[in-house]
Amino acid sequence: MSLTDCQLLKPMTEAAHAVGVLLRALDLPSGPARDRDELLHRFAAVDEPALALLRERLGPLLPGAVWADELDVRLPEHGEMWVADAVDGAVQLLQGLPQWCVSLTLVRERRAVATVLHNPLLGETCTAAFGGGARRDGRLMRPSVKRSLDAALLGTSQPPGVAREPEAVRGAGRSLSALLPKVGAVRNLGATSWQIADTAAGRLDGFWQYGTDDANLMGPALIAAEAGLAVTDLAGRPWRAGADGFLAAPRPLHSLVLATIRD
């Protein structure tokens, strides 16, 4: 018997928790890597066993689903795909910083339908299924109720491939310059996915980003939308895979952030 998307959240959560246990048990080298080659070697040593565990746990559930890395994170027009980042925020993990999580999303027909984010260090798990609401540790997530920018704490980040998108780099600089004088504070708090989940839970008041970043945004965008946030690109259109910008915030703040960026 096939599972519904809501029912899939249980084995997805169990798989994410198992990866969290694995990652916490790893004997990581002390001190940061000395160069890019060493950084990539350390990343592979962490990512490969974690991703293998996810495949072992989830592969039998949907034998026909492909895995994003098989297609270089390019979403197929039809069918199901697992978009998994076993160590989302690996740079932070390898630097000895705590802002990382396990990220797992099921995509169907290019739309996220179920997602799980697990932060092993916080011991927190965020889940959402399309039409089923967003929850953190089983409780419905409630966004911020702030209505003015001067009290708002916003998060931001950059896609891994932003160097290939010079206009996104320029947009990030312009938007930061526009927002900094008007908001309470702006922070980059690590993994994009967890920052969006924190926005859905009201810990952050909004999150924006320039550049195309489908792999990191598909699942968190579902969590944000299911929590009741406005989730758009930076032109104000509903966010879709392939968009070159992202904004998630409660509706009163969303319009203010968007207007400030546009101005």
Side-chain angles (χ1 to χ4, degrees):
M1 184 178 68
S2 61
L3 300 177
T4 67
D5 296 331
C6 285
Q7 290 171 333
L8 279 169
L9 291 177
K10 184 176 186 293
M12 289 171 65
T13 297
E14 292 170 348
H17 285 189
V19 170
V21 172
L22 171 68
L23 293 172
R24 294 201 67 180
L26 291 177
D27 184 18
L28 297 175
S30 60
R34 291 166 294 184
D35 53 39
R36 180 175 175 80
D37 288 342
E38 185 177 351
L39 179 66
L40 293 175
H41 177 75
R42 291 187 183 185
F43 171 73
V46 169
D47 186 65
E48 289 174 3
L51 187 57
L53 181 55
L54 283 178
R55 288 184 175 223
E56 175 187 327
R57 290 293 194 100
L58 298 173
L61 292 177
L62 297 170
V66 296
W67 289 75
D69 63 306
E70 297 175 7
L71 297 174
D72 193 25
V73 200
R74 286 173 289 186
L75 301 173
E77 291 295 331
H78 304 289
E80 294 178 322
M81 166 183 277
W82 290 113
V83 177
D85 194 340
V87 196
D88 189 7
V91 170
Q92 288 85 251
L93 172 65
L94 296 174
Q95 291 283 133
L97 295 168
Q99 298 97 341
W100 55 274
C101 65
V102 182
S103 175
L104 178 61
T105 300
L106 177 64
V107 175
R108 182 180 303 121
E109 312 298 334
R110 294 179 61 85
R111 290 179 180 269
V113 295
T115 191
V116 172
L117 304 177
H118 174 56
N119 186 314
L121 299 184
L122 291 177
E124 295 180 352
T125 305
C126 301
T127 64
F130 183 76
R135 290 172 170 79
R136 186 176 69 207
D137 299 331
R139 298 180 179 180
L140 285 172
M141 301 174 82
R142 305 292 186 189
S144 168
V145 295
K146 293 178 184 175
R147 305 183 68 86
S148 64
L149 288 180
D150 58 3
L153 171 59
L154 302 183
T156 191
S157 189
Q158 302 82 40
V162 73
R164 298 188 295 271
E165 299 184 72
E167 182 53 41
V169 175
R170 289 189 286 269
R174 288 193 301 267
S175 64
L176 187 61
S177 296
L179 284 165
L180 278 176
K182 295 188 176 182
V183 301
V186 175
R187 298 289 185 269
N188 184 334
L189 299 173
T192 292
S193 60
W194 199 259
Q195 291 192 79
I196 297 171
D198 275 342
T199 304
R203 289 170 167 168
L204 289 172
D205 301 306
F207 177 89
W208 92 98
Q209 177 177 289
Y210 277 81
T212 305
D213 196 12
D214 293 348
N216 285 322
L217 293 172
M218 292 290 295
L222 175 62
I223 290 176
E226 289 294 327
L229 296 176
V231 182
T232 71
D233 63 18
L234 294 174
R237 299 174 296 240
W239 185 85
R240 296 286 185 269
D244 59 3
F246 180 90
L247 171 61
R251 296 188 184 279
L253 289 180
H254 182 280
S255 59
L256 296 175
V257 172
L258 196 59
T260 302
I261 289 174
R262 285 174 168 174
D263 292 342

